[in-house]
Amino acid sequence: MFSSEVKDLFQSKETPFYHYDLAVLDSTLNCVKSLADKFNFDIHYAVKANANERLLTIISNMGFGADCVSGNEVRRAIDIGFSADKILFAGVGKTDKELRFALENNIKAFNCESIQEIDVLNALAEESSQIAEIALRINPNVDAKTHKYITTGLDENKFGINQIDLPIIVEKLKGLKHIKLTGLHFHIGSQITDMNVFKGLCLRVNEIQNWFCDHGIEILHLNLGGGLGINYLKPDDEWLPDFETYFAIFNEFLDRKANQQVHFELGRSIVAQCGNLITRVLYIKNGVNTNFAIVDAGMTELMRPALYQSYHQIDNLTGEGEIREYDVVGPICESTDCFGKSVKLPETKRGDLIAIRSAGAYGEVMVSRYNLRDQNAPLYTE
Ligand code: LLP
């Protein structure tokens, strides 16, 4: 996976740092783009997955839109060069300041998640004599069958408008002069690997869309969110997610109306496999039942294992010799600061370079300064 030139580059840098393989990003983007074009789908990259400016510039140059969940993400997307009419703004708790900023910049649409938010947006749009286009983010109560912390489309989740509230909203919208309902938005969760889940989502969306048709409301765009999972277990065997099957399912099962735009907000599937967290072994410590490889990266650099018990493949890039088992842990003062238990690695020594794989999504963006940690600049290779 890593050439000797790339390993030499790693050796010359202070660890830990994120490494981005831009050739992987490029191939992934080309694949998504050609398939999306084939099916006439629009892609709005989910900025939350990785807001690194260099990556965003490459993604924006592909002509994709941006899915943002904060005023600062909207600002970043605009600064990078995403066209405002391809920027969507979602999130359950948008502040007045963020809403005003997005209105000033004439973004494409607000994905509204509560009745009260629609009222506030209407009042703010009135102040600036604008009409805000909105999509209703609806909670479809479809189980994404993924980790419970990244499940968003069940009744128990805070996201989206409940279907029982739809009649009230439709009535209310008649009186709101500064809101125009143009779309419906759904996002049921992330790292979804069971493709049947997406078929179930399509069927539920069709029912909900029919309800709007029956009430004389035309839906100009349908946004199916993100969620396509990646192969964390074997990144080298399958570094390209199965976009083909994913899009084909929506093409087959979604009841798309004439001239209706269909959007996807892919995050992880676009950026996860191009990123690795590179770290060095500080110490080897023999425990009672296990050996610890203590590395210089911690949960502060990659929070996913600590937060979601997630698996990332760990490679020793410089070690040779017999395979042994190590608990690979970081320096942070928390017992959850562990990248993997009983990880099989060639005999590992102080100074070895370690790659924690598939870390391009929800890695760098979730870095924290806990323990007053330093943050090193990423390294890019092509
Ligand atoms: N659209 C909405 C409304 C979202 O909330 C998300 C992700 C996406 C799109 C992009 O989903 P993706 O294609 O990346 O699955 N930090 C967690 C993941 C949180 C996902 C949040 N929402 C993790 O590291 O697994």
Side-chain angles (χ1 to χ4, degrees):
M1 163 68 201
F2 298 101
S3 66
S4 50
E5 289 80 18
V6 169
K7 286 187 200 173
D8 287 348
L9 268 176
F10 290 172
Q11 289 289 16
S12 67
K13 270 200 53 110
E14 186 181 347
T15 48
F17 59 88
Y18 271 93
H19 161 244
Y20 293 111
D21 184 332
L22 300 182
V24 169
L25 177 63
D26 211 47
S27 306
T28 310
L29 287 171
N30 281 317
C31 174
V32 177
K33 172 109 179 91
S34 65
L35 287 166
D37 287 351
K38 173 174 150 192
F39 291 114
N40 190 21
F41 291 152
D42 285 325
I43 307 295
H44 291 84
Y45 167 67
V47 174
K48 66 179 82 61
N50 192 320
N52 173 298
E53 295 186 10
R54 181 127 177 217
L55 268 55
L56 279 185
T57 305
I58 295 170
I59 295 168
S60 149
N61 287 342
M62 293 298 288
F64 292 164
D67 156 49
C68 302
V69 286
S70 72
N72 285 342
E73 283 191 0
V74 173
R75 187 188 303 277
R76 169 80 52 98
I78 289 169
D79 289 350
I80 291 289
F82 283 92
S83 137
D85 66 2
K86 287 189 181 172
I87 295 180
L88 306 177
F89 186 11
V92 285
K94 307 175 188 81
T95 65
D96 294 18
K97 184 176 160 191
E98 290 176 313
L99 290 170
R100 277 203 184 92
F101 177 75
L103 280 169
E104 278 162 23
N105 285 281
N106 294 309
I107 64 160
K108 161 90 181 150
F110 296 80
N111 294 334
C112 292
E113 305 213 15
S114 65
I115 301 181
Q116 205 168 18
E117 179 193 340
I118 299 173
D119 273 328
V120 169
L121 181 61
N122 183 62
L124 296 176
E126 183 171 12
E127 279 175 14
S128 51
S129 313
Q130 284 175 277
I131 294 180
E133 286 195 18
I134 67 162
L136 297 178
R137 176 169 180 181
I138 298 173
N139 185 330
N141 197 25
V142 171
D143 188 352
K145 299 191 180 134
T146 182
H147 192 279
K148 67 175 179 189
Y149 288 0
I150 48 177
T151 291
T152 50
L154 290 176
D155 285 344
E156 69 214 48
N157 300 127
K158 69 179 174 183
F159 299 98
I161 293 168
N162 285 319
Q163 292 170 64
I164 42 170
D165 285 334
L166 293 181
I168 310 170
I169 293 194
V170 163
E171 239 349 88
K172 182 182 241 314
L173 283 172
K174 293 180 186 156
L176 300 181
K177 301 273 172 293
H178 295 269
I179 296 287
K180 184 174 175 214
L181 173 63
T182 54
L184 300 180
H185 174 218
F186 304 86
H187 172 80
I188 56 173
S190 198
Q191 184 54 17
I192 299 170
T193 49
D194 176 351
M195 291 285 186
N196 269 322
V197 164
F198 295 116
K199 178 179 168 190
L201 173 63
C202 289
L203 302 180
R204 186 61 53 81
V205 170
N206 294 343
E207 284 168 23
I208 296 174
Q209 182 170 215
N210 286 341
W211 185 90
F212 279 88
C213 286
D214 292 347
H215 287 77
I217 297 168
E218 191 190 3
I219 300 298
L220 300 176
H221 52 97
L222 281 180
N223 179 342
L224 285 311
L228 176 62
I230 63 134
N231 193 338
Y232 281 103
L233 298 176
K234 294 196 166 153
D236 291 325
D237 294 355
E238 195 195 349
W239 57 269
L240 197 57
D242 190 359
F243 295 111
E244 175 113 50
T245 306
Y246 174 73
F247 287 136
I249 287 175
F250 287 95
N251 187 53
E252 183 176 351
F253 296 105
L254 192 68
D255 175 14
R256 186 176 190 172
K257 308 290 178 206
N259 300 323
Q260 192 172 47
Q261 284 183 323
V262 175
H263 303 305
F264 291 90
E265 304 168 327
L266 296 174
R268 186 191 314 267
S269 51
I270 291 182
V271 289
Q273 299 290 25
C274 75
N276 304 291
L277 177 61
I278 308 299
T279 176
R280 262 193 190 89
V281 177
L282 290 171
Y283 306 109
I284 298 294
K285 183 160 88 169
N286 298 328
V288 177
N289 301 314
T290 183
N291 293 328
F292 294 102
I294 303 167
V295 298
D296 62 7
M299 60 191 280
T300 41
E301 282 68 51
L302 181 64
M303 201 179 300
R304 303 194 69 257
L307 201 53
Y308 317 111
Q309 302 81 44
S310 61
Y311 174 87
H312 287 258
Q313 183 176 306
I314 299 176
D315 296 339
N316 183 334
L317 306 183
T318 47
E320 289 164 354
E322 258 178 63
I323 299 294
R324 305 232 169 121
E325 286 193 2
Y326 300 89
D327 282 10
V328 180
V329 300
I332 307 302
C333 302
E334 299 276 344
S335 294
T336 50
D337 185 29
C338 175
F339 290 116
K341 287 198 180 293
S342 306
V343 181
K344 289 190 171 57
L345 296 173
E347 187 176 6
T348 296
K349 303 176 296 303
R350 173 172 166 82
D352 277 348
L353 273 178
I354 302 282
I356 303 177
R357 306 287 306 280
S358 317
Y362 307 107
E364 193 188 342
V365 268
M366 290 173 75
V367 163
S368 105
R369 286 221 56 212
Y370 183 43
N371 290 191
L372 292 186
R373 299 272 292 166
D374 283 332
Q375 196 183 347
N376 296 319
L379 174 77
Y380 307 89
T381 56
E382 307 204 3

